[in-house]
Amino acid sequence: MSALDINLKKLKKNAFRYSKVRGETASRIRIPGGVIDAKSLGRVVEIAEKYGTGTINITNRQGIEIPGIRLEDMDKVNEEVQLIIDSLRINQPEKGKGYPAHQVWLPPLEVPDTFATLMPDLAPDPELGFVSRAWRESGVLRVPLGTVDLPLEQRRETLVLDLSGAGGNFALVGGPQTGKSTALRTIVQALSLTYTPQEVQFYVMDFGGGTFAGFAGAPHVAGVATRDTEEVRTRMLAEIAAIMDDRERYFRAHGIDSMDTYRRGRLAGTYDDGYGDVFLVIDGWGALRSEFDGLDREVTTMMSRGLSLGVHLVISAARWMDIRAEAQDIFGSRLELHTANPKESIVNREGAARIPKGRPGRGIDMAGHEMMIGLPRADAEQDPTTVSEGVAYTIKKIREHLVAGEGPKLRLLPEQITIDKVLEQLPEQHILPRGGGDMILGVEESRLGPLMFNTRAESHLYLFGDSKTGKTTFLRSIIKEITRLYTPGEAKIVALDMRRSLMGEIPKDYTLRYMTNHQAAMKDMRELAQFLRERLPGPNVTAEQIRERSWWTGPELWVLVDDYDLANTTGGNPLAELVDLLPQAGDIGLHLIITRRMGGAARASFEKVLQMMGDLAVTGILLSGNPSEGAIINGVKPKRAIPGRAQVIHRDLGVVAAQMAWTPPTT
């Protein structure tokens, strides 16, 4: 074919160049900004393989060149290339203006990435599950989060979140509807697609409107708490605190000097305390601070030592002012989305002013560069309105390819538990069949272990609760434990029961007195007090006898009082006879267990028996009650709760949430 036979005008339609090889040319496609979708690029590859040499050249103007095309095939190539150009709307002449000039700047960040592009090597791994090998090998806790725009360099790079070292705690600030919740979900998903459920675990507090609902039950997620699930929220903090305390002891016991050492050892199979890196994710820090008094301080105080133990805090807030000044220092990693007042930015005020409104996910990184956070999905769909479907798809893929199973889940206090069930959890050395010792009261919240009452170290208990909340059940459990720990010769029970609710519950061989009326109670208590005064140590008692309590013989005396408010009347208080004996109860074998209704408890705490209990720092128990009753024991107010759910106020442990043991009535 001669040059005269070539229709140059037709060839120039989509750009061409002459080749050094006779009879061949090359076709070029302009790609403004260097962005082309995968489908169109695939069609270019097909053209290159069909009509060219099978190779593609990238021009210095971010275009694509297909070399080795025969001149006689150019008409066919033009037809196919035109289809690509029409779909991309590029390389088109404008009427009266000709072809548009080459764009120097990249187009603005409009469409968020997904993990299909952020982690292109995502695939099932026979040893790890559905993960990105490349990002696992890029560094500890380094994950892609989105795209950073670098206009002066005419390029973009991946936004990387590094949660290792000092940057292990993360804070994201942005106004309403700016994509905060989506960003936190992207962080959780990024780590879930990089590590196994045994390597990272997430505890989520969702105050952002339920956006994390889809993560409930995910393999890496231990639990999700919301505004109206107080029990889950408090249990979550208790479990994280327990993880930190246990890990601190574990590190000491195994000579582990840092979290990095633990991670390496865990990977090698040397160390394992049951958890990996633990993340507390709080979506809506401002709500946490305003709606739950003092909870933000509790969290920041707890997390101030978290990084050295592999426990991380990830939060979102509407403003930096929502985070107390002393708490801001713990966040080594920060990002900002659009805020109402850019002057409040602590990252970069000028950069914050450039963030456009109405573009969720757009913000600035710590260097002040504009960025866009990706979507928490591993499919190729980039529609923000279908994020929930993408999240469900991704979690399904992770679950389908699990290798070692799901991670540890948040355990909650049972709604009902028996003493026999608690005994099954106890080590053998704690089961003392006779002679006193650790009496089981229920299950405590921090570790979901047995709540014990050491009868040798403590003598008394008192409990307040509304009707039908478990007061009498508590006394039935005490009776059951007395009969388990003592023989009839070692313990006797004196019961003051005006409503006869304990009738038939106390074995006859353990019963010393069972009083059901005020007059009999006054008489019997005077006699009991006189009997106990004879046990008081006299001047001839030695120190050894004091230690061994050997100057008297006889049973321990357990005084059980149900509905104390019915016993303490204007006609007198039978228990007043015992007040002066309570401080010496441990020496004389006296135990006083009182239950009372919640109504008027704050006022009643000033009468002499309950006041003495308070002065002695006796362990107090609050069952369900109206918070309007005010502070009852050591400034603690009652809460509404299910039957048996209690706040245990201990002089050493503070306030401990617990489920008291349930003992059915004797039939």
Side-chain angles (χ1 to χ4, degrees):
M1 181 179 286
S2 68
L4 297 175
D5 297 324
I6 300 173
N7 188 339
L8 296 179
K9 184 175 180 181
K10 193 172 184 179
L11 286 178
K12 286 182 179 178
K13 176 178 177 61
N14 293 316
F16 81 103
R17 71 170 175 83
Y18 287 111
S19 173
K20 293 180 180 179
V21 180
R22 186 176 179 83
E24 291 185 4
T25 184
S27 182
R28 289 179 175 175
I29 306 173
R30 295 176 182 176
I31 310 294
V35 180
I36 184 172
D37 61 75
K39 184 179 179 181
S40 298
L41 185 59
R43 292 163 68 181
V44 173
V45 172
E46 292 175 2
I47 296 171
E49 292 176 343
K50 187 176 180 182
Y51 298 106
T53 61
T55 61
I56 297 173
N57 300 329
I58 307 298
T59 72
N60 57 6
R61 292 191 174 184
Q62 298 180 328
I64 295 176
E65 181 183 89
I66 307 172
I69 301 173
R70 296 184 300 172
L71 291 171
E72 56 263 33
D73 291 334
M74 277 301 296
D75 286 342
K76 298 176 183 177
V77 172
N78 272 330
E79 291 177 6
E80 295 194 29
V81 168
Q82 190 62 41
L83 295 174
I84 300 172
I85 291 171
D86 290 340
S87 66
L88 297 176
R89 301 189 64 81
I90 58 174
N91 206 30
Q92 301 294 313
E94 298 180 27
K95 190 174 181 181
K97 297 181 180 180
Y99 289 91
H102 171 69
Q103 291 187 2
V104 177
W105 308 110
L106 296 174
L109 294 169
E110 296 286 351
V111 183
D113 291 314
T114 69
F115 289 109
T117 53
L118 294 172
M119 295 178 170
D121 66 326
L122 267 178
D125 187 284
E127 297 178 354
L128 301 168
F130 191 65
V131 299
S132 169
R133 274 277 188 181
W135 280 100
R136 281 184 65 89
E137 296 168 359
S138 69
V140 177
L141 299 180
R142 289 183 81 255
V143 291
L145 198 57
T147 303
V148 179
D149 192 18
L150 303 170
L152 295 180
E153 302 176 30
Q154 297 190 42
R155 67 183 179 92
R156 289 172 178 164
E157 63 182 27
T158 302
L159 173 65
V160 178
L161 182 62
D162 188 349
L163 294 172
S164 63
N169 293 325
F170 172 81
L172 175 74
V173 169
Q177 302 297 310
T178 56
K180 298 188 298 297
S181 297
T182 300
L184 293 191
R185 286 185 289 171
T186 300
I187 294 173
V188 173
Q189 208 73 289
L191 289 163
S192 300
L193 293 169
T194 310
Y195 298 96
T196 68
Q198 289 70 45
E199 293 172 322
V200 296
Q201 296 89 38
F202 300 94
Y203 294 81
V204 182
M205 292 187 183
D206 183 7
F207 305 127
T211 54
F212 273 93
F215 283 86
H220 294 75
V221 178
V224 178
T226 58
R227 280 181 171 86
D228 55 349
T229 55
E230 181 183 0
E231 180 186 348
V232 179
R233 187 175 63 252
T234 55
R235 174 74 192 107
M236 191 175 289
L237 293 179
E239 182 157 302
I240 293 174
I243 291 171
M244 294 169 68
D245 292 340
D246 292 345
R247 180 163 285 178
E248 204 164 24
R249 286 190 288 271
Y250 187 87
F251 280 17
R252 266 196 317 270
H254 292 80
I256 301 172
D257 61 348
S258 69
M259 191 61 196
D260 288 332
T261 303
Y262 173 76
R263 292 191 188 103
R264 290 194 301 271
R266 198 176 193 281
L267 195 62
T270 307
Y271 307 129
D272 189 2
D273 67 350
Y275 293 88
D277 279 271
V278 176
F279 293 83
L280 174 59
V281 181
I282 302 177
D283 187 14
W285 185 263
L288 178 80
R289 181 178 175 180
S290 61
E291 297 179 24
F292 310 104
D293 187 37
L295 192 57
D296 64 315
R297 291 186 184 274
E298 179 183 344
V299 172
T300 52
T301 300
M302 181 177 70
M303 300 302 294
S304 61
R305 63 186 181 102
L307 292 183
S308 60
L309 299 169
V311 180
H312 310 256
L313 180 60
V314 177
I315 72 165
S316 71
R319 305 177 302 163
W320 287 110
M321 292 178 63
D322 290 342
I323 308 172
R324 300 181 193 272
E326 65 270 21
Q328 292 182 15
D329 294 336
I330 72 172
F331 298 104
S333 299
R334 303 170 180 178
L335 292 176
E336 285 184 0
L337 303 177
H338 182 270
T339 56
N341 187 1
K343 293 181 180 180
E344 294 180 358
S345 171
I346 64 173
V347 175
N348 188 297
R349 292 183 179 181
E350 292 182 2
R354 294 194 302 268
I355 303 174
K357 296 181 181 179
R359 304 282 179 84
R362 287 280 297 274
I364 56 173
D365 63 8
M366 293 185 67
H369 298 136
E370 290 192 39
M371 56 83 185
M372 173 165 275
I373 296 175
L375 298 177
R377 58 195 308 168
D379 54 3
E381 182 63 50
Q382 296 176 290
D383 185 1
T385 63
T386 60
V387 168
S388 59
E389 288 87 343
V391 168
Y393 166 83
T394 306
I395 292 175
K396 182 182 177 183
K397 292 287 288 186
I398 294 172
R399 182 175 282 110
E400 285 175 352
H401 299 286
L402 286 176
V403 177
E406 299 191 1
K409 299 298 181 183
L410 179 69
R411 299 174 301 158
L412 300 176
L413 281 171
E415 293 188 1
Q416 192 178 89
I417 192 166
T418 63
I419 290 175
D420 293 337
K421 195 70 176 178
V422 179
L423 279 170
E424 293 175 6
Q425 306 173 12
L426 276 177
E428 240 178 82
Q429 61 266 28
H430 286 287
I431 302 175
L432 305 175
R434 295 299 177 204
D438 290 330
M439 181 177 284
I440 297 170
L441 299 182
V443 177
E444 56 87 23
E445 184 182 52
S446 61
R447 291 176 174 82
L448 293 186
L451 175 67
M452 313 297 287
F453 174 65
N454 192 318
T455 61
R456 297 192 179 109
E458 300 181 82
S459 298
H460 316 301
L461 289 169
Y462 64 129
L463 176 146
F464 298 94
D466 280 341
S467 179
K468 307 296 184 182
T469 60
K471 299 189 302 297
T472 304
T473 302
F474 169 74
L475 291 178
R476 285 201 300 265
S477 297
I478 294 292
I479 294 168
K480 183 178 178 68
E481 282 294 271
I482 292 172
T483 59
R484 181 178 71 86
L485 294 171
Y486 300 90
T487 65
E490 293 170 336
K492 296 295 182 182
I493 298 173
V494 177
L496 178 55
D497 183 19
M498 297 298 189
R499 291 192 299 111
R500 295 175 171 82
S501 53
L502 296 176
M503 185 172 286
E505 300 293 338
I506 307 171
K508 288 184 179 180
D509 50 352
Y510 283 90
T511 304
L512 182 64
R513 292 283 192 278
Y514 184 74
M515 299 163 284
T516 59
N517 65 81
H518 193 269
Q519 186 177 357
M522 293 290 290
K523 176 178 177 294
D524 288 346
M525 283 300 172
R526 276 195 299 271
E527 294 177 358
L528 179 64
Q530 183 59 41
F531 173 77
L532 289 170
R533 286 190 181 94
E534 294 175 1
R535 290 184 174 182
L536 293 172
N540 299 322
V541 175
T542 65
E544 184 179 355
Q545 288 177 313
I546 292 287
R547 286 192 299 271
E548 298 177 355
R549 218 173 57 173
S550 59
W551 73 90
W552 61 266
T553 59
E556 302 272 323
L557 295 178
W558 290 81
V559 181
L560 309 185
V561 183
D562 198 13
D563 292 305
Y564 175 62
D565 51 295
L566 298 180
N568 184 18
T569 67
T570 54
N573 183 358
L575 296 183
E577 299 286 342
L578 302 178
V579 171
D580 62 327
L581 297 172
L582 295 181
Q584 303 177 79
D587 295 331
I588 61 178
L590 171 64
H591 304 272
L592 178 60
I593 314 293
I594 294 176
T595 70
R596 189 196 187 281
R597 65 183 178 90
M598 191 69 73
R603 187 173 59 254
S605 62
F606 290 100
E607 68 85 27
K608 54 186 176 181
V609 176
L610 294 180
Q611 188 173 21
M612 178 60 74
M613 298 286 248
D615 293 343
L616 296 173
V618 170
T619 297
I621 302 171
L622 295 179
L623 297 176
S624 176
N626 193 334
S628 64
E629 291 289 340
I632 295 177
I633 303 175
N634 289 355
V636 180
K637 297 180 180 179
K639 301 178 180 178
R640 294 293 189 190
I642 62 173
R645 189 61 48 83
Q647 300 177 84
V648 181
I649 299 93
H650 193 274
R651 60 188 170 194
D652 297 325
L653 303 177
V655 182
V656 178
Q659 181 68 28
M660 308 308 290
W662 178 77
T663 300
T666 302
T667 55

